Amino acid sequence: MEVAKKIESVRSLVGTARSRGKKIGLVPTMGALHAGHISLIEAAVKKCNFVVVSIFVNPTQFVPGEDFEKYPRPIKNDLKICKKAGVDVVFAPTPEQMYPMENLTWVNVKKLTESLCGRFRPGHFRGVTTVCAKLFNIVAPDIAFFGQKDAQQAIVIKRMVADLNMPLEIVICPTVREPDGLAVSSRNQYLSKQQKKEAANIYKSLCKCSELIGAGIKNTAEIVAQMRAILKQIPRGEIEYVEIVNAETLQSIDKIAGKVLAAVAVRIGHARLIDNILVDAAK
Ligand code: AMP
């Protein structure tokens, strides 16, 4: 496994692989790798025969006051995990590599970034789409892999790729969970054992939503109220949002119909946790 810190190094390694007819897979991450990231790498290894993992804590997607400085950066362990998972190249640039001068060019996906997390993290998605556009231009993968855990991000990236005719496929992989349902996340490290246990109520609330839709309840407000009641069981948990939206447009809906996305964001201690599930009401 090669570790490239420079853009020209990763370009040259990928260029050689491509000239040998390899199919290039990219897994963009911010590091602090866990079972969720590993599942994306495994999907990439299955579908591609040259896999690049990028590890970059992207400053432009953090809103002022967020955890950019203290975001975990256990690079040694991350490299071990990548090697074991069969990664060919880890691209781990510095912020100076990625942003050598004031960035004047931004990718902004409208509408889809205005609801859910977009309302609470202004500028976050602009940072995500811009860094992903940069990574796609640097690595030029055939396929890039993202997690359903960050559902809004996945939809936004897919739309950027479609709107800008970027020549790659986006594959979305299922959310990996702890045995109690808590979505695995780098930010779970900020939780105490007790808080982690309580955080399982996030997934419980999502399961309740799925159950109620399955039982034929159509009134979104009624479902959201029951989800909130479960989330209230997290002591000192601050609910940022609990929403049920159209799974394609991410717009709020009053009545459940077709494919919907139930999404939750809760602050517990120093962690801001998000999770979601897709429910097809037609089924
Ligand atoms: P991050 O390092 O948090 O930026 O995440 C990198 C990628 O891993 C994103 O595409 C995430 O959606 C994905 N990811 C994070 N947590 C999980 C999880 N629990 N299950 C599946 N994918 C995940």
Side-chain angles (χ1 to χ4, degrees), residues 28-31 34 36-37 39-40 71 145-150 153 173-176 183-186:
T29 82
M30 298 207 299
H34 51 60
H37 299 114
S39 76
L40 302 190
Y71 198 85
F145 297 80
F146 290 85
Q148 176 62 27
K149 154 83 170 32
D150 298 273
Q153 168 174 284
C173 302
T175 302
V176 175
V184 179
S185 163
S186 308

Side-chain angles (χ1 to χ4, degrees), residues 1-5 7 10 14 25-33 37 40-41 44 51-58 61 71 75 78-79 82 87-94 98 128 131-136 138-139 141 144-146:
M1 186 179 81
E2 300 276 350
V3 180
K5 294 203 156 128
I7 290 168
V10 71
V14 172
L26 170 66
V27 181
T29 82
M30 298 207 299
L33 302 182
H37 299 114
L40 302 190
I41 297 171
V51 173
V52 179
V53 171
S54 62
I55 297 181
F56 180 59
V57 184
N58 173 37
Q61 71 187 69
Y71 198 85
I75 185 71
D78 285 351
L79 294 180
C82 287
V87 171
D88 295 283
V89 178
V90 171
F91 176 48
T94 58
M98 292 298 279
V128 170
V131 83
C132 285
K134 285 163 81 72
L135 289 168
F136 295 167
I138 291 164
V139 176
F145 297 80
F146 290 85

Side-chain angles (χ1 to χ4, degrees), residues 185-201:
S185 163
S186 308
R187 289 186 168 105
N188 291 352
Q189 290 184 27
Y190 301 151
L191 301 173
S192 68
K193 241 185 170 171
Q194 181 61 23
Q195 286 172 324
K196 223 176 147 186
K197 227 168 124 187
E198 292 159 4
N201 283 301

